[in-house]
Amino acid sequence: DGGITQSPKYLFRKEGQNVTLSCEQNLNHDAMYWYRQDPGQGLRLIYYSQIVNDFQKGDIAEGYSVSREKKESFPLTVTSAQKNPTAFYLCASSTGLLSTGELFFGEGSRLTVL
Amino acid sequence: AQSVSQHNHHVILSEAASLELGCNYSYGGTVNLFWYVQYPGQHLQLLLKYFSGDPLVKGIKGFEAEFIKSKFSFNLRKPSVQWSDTAEYFCAVNEGSGGYQKVTFGIGTKLQVIP
């Protein structure tokens, strides 16, 4: 089945440690996105990538980093510089530059920093 | 910057009651409008979308939404809700056409339907 796979689903880390969340898609979509979902704040865009080897900061990129070495993969690293990393992280994809914006989402990764 | 406002953050309804969830956006140009739904334990999925044409859009599971350009609104409606509609609903706006299109989400409305 085509879709977006995020891993791990749940992750616990100590403060000060970097964490990488995986996102893989087999939809052949050009564009991929990372959102952060917090209660009462909706979804906020962290980073997005329209094509391989290119990505841009979203609204809340500080403390995060990404890479896009392959079309299928868009991993997110939550660095120790992120002041409040405990959250639910959602990866999404869309068809690309001429897309009308419909997003396809993964099931999310819940990160808890102890 | 684009913003999306959802007026009701938590709604509780009895089964068979009618539903209307408000959504307003700030961008004055060309927009594409969406409602996404997140059922408990499931991933976000598209409920319905408006790109152009008939401003009354029908989606899955009996939901519909009306785009009123003069009011910058895209309210979601369902005449008779079911217990299975219990979920969180997000309004989203995608501004512009061509190139990268930034999608901005509202904060979401949690709907609880009581049997």
Side-chain angles (χ1 to χ4, degrees), chain B:
Chain B
Q2 171 72 272
S3 67
V4 179
S5 299
Q6 290 184 241
H7 314 300
N8 319 100
H9 300 166
H10 196 177
V11 173
I12 302 173
L13 294 173
S14 298
E15 273 194 318
S18 65
L19 170 72
E20 180 158 4
L21 301 182
C23 174
N24 286 89
Y25 62 94
S26 62
Y27 186 67
T30 302
V31 291
N32 299 321
L33 300 158
F34 308 82
W35 278 95
Y36 287 87
V37 59
Q38 190 172 32
Y39 296 104
Q42 296 187 29
H43 62 274
L44 267 164
Q45 56 188 283
L46 185 68
L47 193 60
L48 49 77
K49 59 189 177 187
Y50 171 81
F51 294 156
S52 63
D54 188 345
L56 185 62
V57 178
K58 296 197 184 295
I60 60 172
K61 303 188 179 186
F63 285 91
E64 64 178 32
E66 185 175 13
F67 170 51
I68 304 179
K69 190 174 181 180
S70 60
K71 294 185 178 180
F72 297 89
S73 71
F74 190 56
N75 293 354
L76 181 70
R77 300 195 292 250
K78 186 171 183 179
S80 176
V81 294
Q82 300 173 308
W83 177 78
S84 58
D85 294 325
T86 294
E88 191 161 15
Y89 294 82
F90 294 89
C91 182
V93 176
N94 172 12
E95 61 187 83
S97 58
Y100 172 70
Q101 299 166 23
K102 183 178 176 183
V103 181
T104 302
F105 285 82
I107 66 171
T109 297
K110 285 189 177 177
L111 171 65
Q112 185 179 355
V113 180
I114 302 170

Side-chain angles (χ1 to χ4, degrees), chain A residues 37 59 97 99-103, chain B residues 36 49 51 94 99 101-102:
Chain A
Q37 185 179 8
D59 298 319
L97 291 176
S99 167
T100 47
E102 181 177 344
L103 298 174
Chain B
Y36 287 87
K49 59 189 177 187
F51 294 156
N94 172 12
Q101 299 166 23
K102 183 178 176 183

Side-chain angles (χ1 to χ4, degrees), chain A residues 57-68:
Chain A
K57 293 181 179 180
D59 298 319
I60 55 165
E62 186 175 346
Y64 299 98
S65 66
V66 293
S67 63
R68 187 87 186 277

